[in-house]
């Protein structure tokens, strides 16, 4: 079966500090990977998606960047955090060689980031 | 760019059916309707999806109108654990990018 991991689960960072959130998927190969952000009381905003190693598409211009150094690893980064970067960050995967519908996305447990 | 409209909140009595509506009047012919739910502070959970036929699985049923401009998610026997925000999503474009709206907060009451 497939599983998706995110860490850390929670993070408190000062304004101006760097950020690195990691997401890994097990049990599949060549998945599509996604990063979403959810502000308090709001819906999910798609930030980045990737169809393969080194291939990143950005949905919203912002203070964040994403990288995919390995097939099943997706990293969200920032050089200098802003207060507005606070939120719940979710990683998701879809597709891959699993036999599942290539369109359904499956979400990780999320990372709650607070920037002070 | 959510492309869907849902009521902000709904109440349902425990044990009764919960019917959650969604309008997607600009849906294209090859776009699927997906439903997810999010329990507080957790990642969204996939429920069901469909194109034009009604669908049923162990969690819920999805009823899509003939013109595909709206759909209804049915939880046949709601329990307190079904209290969550339910998102109706229409896939956009050639790639499966999902745009989440604000969803419907379903409150299941004893």
């Amino acid at each position: 079966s497939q599983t998706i991991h995110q860490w850390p689960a929670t993070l408190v960072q000062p304004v101006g500090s760097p950020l690195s959130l990691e997401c890994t998927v097990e049990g599949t190969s060549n998945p599509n990977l996604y990063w979403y952000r959810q502000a308090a009381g709001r819906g999910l905003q798609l930030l980045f998606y990737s169809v393969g190693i080194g291939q990143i598409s950005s949905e919203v211009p912002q203070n964040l960047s994403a990288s995919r150094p390995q097939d099943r690893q997706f990293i969200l980064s920032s050089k200098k955090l802003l207060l507005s970067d606070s939120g719940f960050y979710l990683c998701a995967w879809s597709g891959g060689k699993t036999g599942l519908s290539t369109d359904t996305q499956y979400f990780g447990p999320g990372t709650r980031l607070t920037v002070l | 760019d959510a492309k869907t409209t849902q009521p902000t909140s709904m109440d349902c009595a425990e044990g009764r059916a919960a019917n959650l509506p969604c309008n997607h009047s600009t849906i294209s012919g090859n776009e699927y309707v997906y439903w997810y739910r999010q329990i507080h502070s957790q990642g969204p959970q996939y429920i069901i999806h469909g194109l034009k036929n009604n669908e049923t699985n162990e969690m819920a049923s999805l009823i899509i109108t003939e013109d595909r401009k709206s759909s209804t998610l049915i939880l046949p026997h709601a329990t307190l654990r079904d209290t969550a925000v339910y998102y109706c999503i229409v896939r956009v474009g050639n790639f499966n990018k999902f745009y989440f709206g604000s969803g419907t907060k379903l409150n299941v009451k004893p």
Side-chain angles (χ1 to χ4, degrees), chain A:
Chain A
S1 64
Q2 300 75 39
T3 56
I4 179 169
H5 304 279
Q6 288 186 245
W7 63 90
T10 60
L11 190 61
V12 180
Q13 292 284 93
V15 170
S17 64
L19 173 74
S20 181
L21 303 182
E22 189 165 344
C23 169
T24 59
V25 181
E26 296 177 356
T28 185
S29 59
N30 197 30
N32 300 318
L33 297 172
Y34 312 82
W35 277 113
Y36 289 84
R37 177 171 61 199
Q38 186 174 34
R42 306 288 297 275
L44 279 71
Q45 179 186 35
L46 179 63
L47 301 176
F48 302 95
Y49 66 92
S50 171
V51 299
I53 295 174
Q55 302 179 61
I56 309 295
S57 296
S58 174
E59 280 292 292
V60 182
Q62 59 215 309
N63 185 41
L64 302 169
S65 62
S67 62
R68 186 171 176 174
Q70 300 180 42
D71 181 45
R72 293 170 291 164
Q73 183 185 32
F74 206 22
I75 297 173
L76 184 69
S77 303
S78 174
K79 292 182 179 178
K80 287 186 178 181
L81 284 169
L82 306 172
L83 286 174
S84 57
D85 291 325
S86 292
F88 191 42
Y89 288 83
L90 289 152
C91 181
W93 72 272
S94 72
K97 299 177 181 177
T98 62
L100 299 173
S101 165
T102 57
D103 292 330
T104 302
Q105 293 186 16
Y106 300 92
F107 286 81
T111 294
R112 188 161 301 281
L113 172 66
T114 302
V115 182
L116 302 176

Side-chain angles (χ1 to χ4, degrees), chain B residues 58-86:
Chain B
E58 65 278 4
M59 290 183 68
S61 295
L62 174 61
I63 308 298
I64 302 174
T65 58
E66 191 170 343
D67 63 8
R68 304 211 323 122
K69 293 185 177 181
S70 65
S71 60
T72 300
L73 179 74
I74 301 173
L75 307 178
H77 305 287
T79 70
L80 297 178
R81 288 178 296 180
D82 292 322
T83 292
V85 177
Y86 287 77

Side-chain angles (χ1 to χ4, degrees), chain B residues 33-103:
Chain B
V33 179
Y34 288 79
W35 283 84
Y36 284 77
R37 72 180 183 184
Q38 186 177 24
I39 297 171
H40 183 62
S41 295
Q42 297 182 23
Q45 176 189 22
Y46 166 77
I47 301 174
I48 199 167
H49 74 283
L51 183 62
K52 54 176 107 172
N53 297 323
N54 297 336
E55 302 287 344
T56 295
N57 62 21
E58 65 278 4
M59 290 183 68
S61 295
L62 174 61
I63 308 298
I64 302 174
T65 58
E66 191 170 343
D67 63 8
R68 304 211 323 122
K69 293 185 177 181
S70 65
S71 60
T72 300
L73 179 74
I74 301 173
L75 307 178
H77 305 287
T79 70
L80 297 178
R81 288 178 296 180
D82 292 322
T83 292
V85 177
Y86 287 77
Y87 295 100
C88 168
I89 303 152
V90 172
R91 190 188 68 168
V92 176
N94 295 325
F95 185 72
N96 48 337
K97 294 185 288 185
F98 285 9
Y99 290 96
F100 285 73
S102 298

